[in-house]
Amino acid sequence: MSAALPTYEDVLDASRVLDGIAHRTPVLASTTLNDRLGAQVFFKCENLQRIGAFKFRGGYNAIARLGPEQRRAGVVAFSSGNHAQAVALAARMLGVAATIVMPNDAPRAKRAATEGYGARIIDYDRNTEDREAIALDLAQKEGLTLIPPFDHPHIIAGQGTAVKELLEDVGGLDALFVPLGGGGLLSGSLLAARAIAPDCAVYGVEPEAGDDGLQSLRKGEIVRIGPPQSIADGAVTQYLGKITFPIIRDQVRDILTVSDAQLVAAMQFFAERMKIVVEPTGCLGAAAAMNQCVPMKGMRVGVLLSGGNVDLARYGQHLQAG
Ligand SMILES: *Cc1c(COP(=O)(O)O)cnc(C)c1O
């Protein structure tokens, strides 16, 4: 093992970088839910973070740490989702030029938001072209620094600051549920939880259809799966990262999965009872807690709501379903 893994020290550094820059998002609770579960549940609302998701934390931390030459040359990222907006906004705030490689069929709202932050968008055809190759080619030709979505020490450390805040704000927790895609959020959360609340059991939660993380944990090595079909579009990654996996393997209590129907029920609960918009991927941790995927009676439970960016038409359909 050669790559140095990030530590809680890196989370603390990220927390200093983000102080006064990222929102210290609120922690909400629902008496109805607490009564139903016989537990105390604390929701860390990263759906209310800048750009509507925790990804601003990691993106800003990674770009803020670049040297003057790298900043002058600019950064590149490939994403159609929240990472694109995070890199675009963070780069603009830091006076760095951003290029985002995005599929030509990306939702118009996401594209417009990314452009609105001043990023240059490079289109690709997701059926015939490889976005990573395009981004690496641009990086080489133009001297841009690639900002990866999850497998990077500064990204992981930045994402870990959300759980650091949650634990500071509510005190000890018995269990914590965190959405899992490529594992940047979960590995950062583990670094924070291990340091601040070592007895807290941390669970990663994936969509049922994209359970590569669970398979990897069981097998003890990174398992690659085909493109998953789930409404949790921020967590349909096909494999964990070389940095995120060892942290997760060594520190996570377990990885759980939830169905799309359970995600829809959670979205409906947040809209109807708590008056907040949470995107399907953002509901992963909540769905595991609401369905008591592990025993929770009498416990203090943290849930990370990771994002709130929805396509309004699709969101409306989800709210009406069931
Ligand atoms: C990216 C994302 C995730 C997954 O994060 P990873 O660091 O890739 O595991 C979860 N929820 C939302 C809203 C996201 O944008």
Side-chain angles (χ1 to χ4, degrees), residues 117-139:
Y117 295 130
R120 168 178 65 150
I121 294 184
I122 305 279
D123 281 315
Y124 76 99
D125 181 340
R126 69 160 99 225
N127 300 310
T128 60
E129 293 181 287
D130 176 1
R131 63 182 191 170
E132 197 164 345
I134 295 171
L136 287 172
D137 190 49
L138 276 167

Side-chain angles (χ1 to χ4, degrees), residues 53-55 82 149-150 179-186 234 237 279 281-282 306-307:
F54 71 92
K55 283 209 174 69
N82 294 334
F150 53 85
L180 170 60
L185 180 62
L186 178 58
T237 40
E279 65 184 274
T281 315
S306 53

Side-chain angles (χ1 to χ4, degrees), residues 56-82:
F56 176 74
R57 296 173 182 267
Y60 189 94
N61 188 47
I63 298 173
R65 274 146 196 289
L66 298 178
E69 275 140 63
Q70 289 173 303
R71 284 195 189 208
R72 223 171 295 126
V75 296
V76 59
F78 49 87
S79 163
S80 55
N82 294 334

Side-chain angles (χ1 to χ4, degrees), residues 21-236:
I21 301 276
H23 297 318
R24 190 174 184 108
T25 50
V27 178
L28 300 182
S30 158
T31 310
T32 306
L33 183 68
N34 288 348
D35 290 346
R36 193 202 295 165
L37 298 177
Q40 251 186 301
V41 182
F42 302 95
F43 293 105
K44 175 66 170 169
C45 292
E46 286 295 296
N47 56 320
L48 304 177
Q49 185 51 266
R50 287 189 164 198
I51 70 103
F54 71 92
K55 283 209 174 69
F56 176 74
R57 296 173 182 267
Y60 189 94
N61 188 47
I63 298 173
R65 274 146 196 289
L66 298 178
E69 275 140 63
Q70 289 173 303
R71 284 195 189 208
R72 223 171 295 126
V75 296
V76 59
F78 49 87
S79 163
S80 55
N82 294 334
H83 181 61
Q85 292 178 55
V87 168
L89 175 60
R92 191 184 67 177
M93 290 169 76
L94 289 160
V96 173
T99 300
I100 308 291
V101 179
M102 199 178 257
N104 51 19
D105 61 349
R108 215 178 313 153
K110 292 204 167 166
R111 192 192 167 96
T114 308
E115 267 172 340
Y117 295 130
R120 168 178 65 150
I121 294 184
I122 305 279
D123 281 315
Y124 76 99
D125 181 340
R126 69 160 99 225
N127 300 310
T128 60
E129 293 181 287
D130 176 1
R131 63 182 191 170
E132 197 164 345
I134 295 171
L136 287 172
D137 190 49
L138 276 167
Q140 218 162 35
K141 282 200 185 116
E142 302 184 9
L144 310 179
T145 301
L146 180 69
I147 307 292
F150 53 85
D151 210 24
H152 183 291
H154 294 153
I155 298 281
I156 294 168
Q159 319 304 35
T161 58
V163 162
K164 173 179 176 284
E165 291 173 7
L166 171 64
L167 289 164
E168 285 169 356
D169 288 352
V170 307
L173 292 174
D174 301 303
L176 173 65
F177 297 92
V178 180
L180 170 60
L185 180 62
L186 178 58
S187 54
S189 300
L190 284 163
L191 296 178
R194 284 286 73 83
I196 307 171
D199 296 331
C200 176
V202 181
Y203 298 92
V205 186
E206 291 181 310
E208 231 164 51
D211 69 342
D212 62 290
L214 175 60
Q215 291 188 41
S216 302
L217 188 67
R218 294 288 181 266
K219 203 160 176 221
E221 63 186 61
I222 297 170
V223 173
R224 293 174 178 244
I225 62 172
Q229 292 298 320
S230 166
I231 59 170
D233 57 353
V236 289

